[in-house]
Amino acid sequence: MDQKGRLKDVVQIERLVDLKPAYQRQAAVLALWRWRAPVLAFELDAEWGVDQAALESLFRLAASPAGEQSDHAYRRAIAELCTAPLFTSEVDPDTVQLFQLETISSLLAFGELLDRPGVDEAERVVESSAGLANYLDDLVEGSFYSHPSQEAHRQYLADLASEGYFGSRNFAVEFACHGVLRALPDSVGLLDSSTGRELLALCEDFGEELVTTMLWLRTTGH
């Protein structure tokens, strides 16, 4: 990892530590939400035995108000998910499927956050989002084809004096979300307030951008 990457990690951890547990949880939900569109936009391998509706339900439960009822529902849904053949068989994923699997892993990690609230568990989910964005940058950089938005990405990075478009975009969205979290009521879910829904929409917009690039990678045969 280069110096800029390490600096981003330090800033990320410091921001999480500064948040109280309720907001650390919401930060983790927002990190998950950035990969909601990518995991749901493509069909799942039928042999995995995982229903997309079950994953959609997990995302919505994560964004629900914290409490015994919603937490129990999330744990129950995770337990049902883990009975799928995916978790007992070998998997040889293509590029898109790898992102799907990593996002499913983050949904499982969020379940652990419910059992052990704290910055370490929240950090796992938030760092996973950053890691996937950086990996997507690596795939784009390593492609034999020029990305359709290559010039726009270069201009974005030139203005930031940064490297790695999707990693930088993920960091920018994360920074914007964390800056607003303290203004949210900590007793409601992100879906239950206009500000929370705006933050989810911001993450969703970034997710749609990820989908476009993942489709391009699959189409070009990366």
Side-chain angles (χ1 to χ4, degrees):
M1 183 184 297
D2 60 19
Q3 186 174 359
K4 289 179 181 177
R6 287 193 295 270
L7 178 59
K8 284 183 178 180
D9 284 347
V10 170
V11 172
Q12 174 195 84
I13 294 169
E14 287 180 346
R15 286 207 310 272
L16 280 174
V17 169
D18 288 341
L19 297 174
K20 62 182 181 179
Y23 294 140
Q24 290 171 358
R25 171 179 173 143
Q26 290 178 330
V29 175
L30 291 165
L32 281 173
W33 210 266
R34 292 196 279 282
W35 294 91
R36 175 178 173 272
V39 81
L40 298 175
F42 301 92
E43 288 189 9
L44 300 168
D45 190 322
E47 293 185 359
W48 293 358
V50 175
D51 186 356
Q52 280 190 315
L55 296 183
E56 169 66 11
S57 176
L58 282 169
F59 281 107
R60 297 193 68 83
L61 284 170
S64 298
E68 184 176 347
Q69 183 175 354
S70 62
D71 289 359
H72 177 70
Y74 192 95
R75 293 186 185 99
R76 186 174 62 246
I78 285 291
E80 292 174 359
L81 175 67
C82 289
T83 64
L86 169 65
F87 296 92
T88 58
S89 59
E90 292 186 5
V91 177
D92 183 21
D94 65 15
T95 299
V96 168
Q97 290 172 338
L98 179 61
F99 284 100
Q100 290 176 323
L101 290 172
E102 289 297 326
T103 303
I104 291 173
S105 178
S106 290
L107 288 167
L108 297 179
F110 185 81
E112 295 177 11
L113 172 61
L114 301 185
D115 294 328
R116 296 188 298 274
V119 67
D120 290 340
E121 297 301 328
E123 184 184 336
R124 282 182 58 196
V125 180
V126 173
E127 282 189 342
S128 177
S129 177
L132 288 176
N134 291 331
Y135 179 60
L136 186 58
D137 280 324
D138 291 341
L139 293 177
V140 172
E141 183 66 25
S143 175
F144 293 116
Y145 302 88
S146 296
H147 191 282
S149 300
Q150 179 174 283
E151 290 306 316
H153 290 181
R154 284 178 177 170
Q155 185 59 52
Y156 178 88
L157 294 172
D159 292 341
L160 294 176
S162 184
E163 298 177 3
Y165 174 77
F166 291 105
S168 295
R169 283 278 290 122
N170 179 77
F171 185 75
V173 172
E174 178 185 302
F175 188 85
C177 289
H178 287 200
V180 177
L181 279 178
R182 289 185 181 86
L184 292 173
D186 59 6
S187 59
V188 302
L190 290 167
L191 290 168
D192 300 318
S193 72
S194 59
T195 301
R197 290 191 294 272
E198 288 173 3
L199 294 181
L200 291 173
L202 180 63
C203 293
E204 190 86 7
D205 287 344
F206 178 53
E208 292 295 343
E209 193 172 0
L210 297 171
V211 169
T212 300
T213 290
M214 289 164 63
L215 180 61
W216 169 75
L217 286 170
R218 175 170 276 185
T219 302
T220 57
H222 188 283

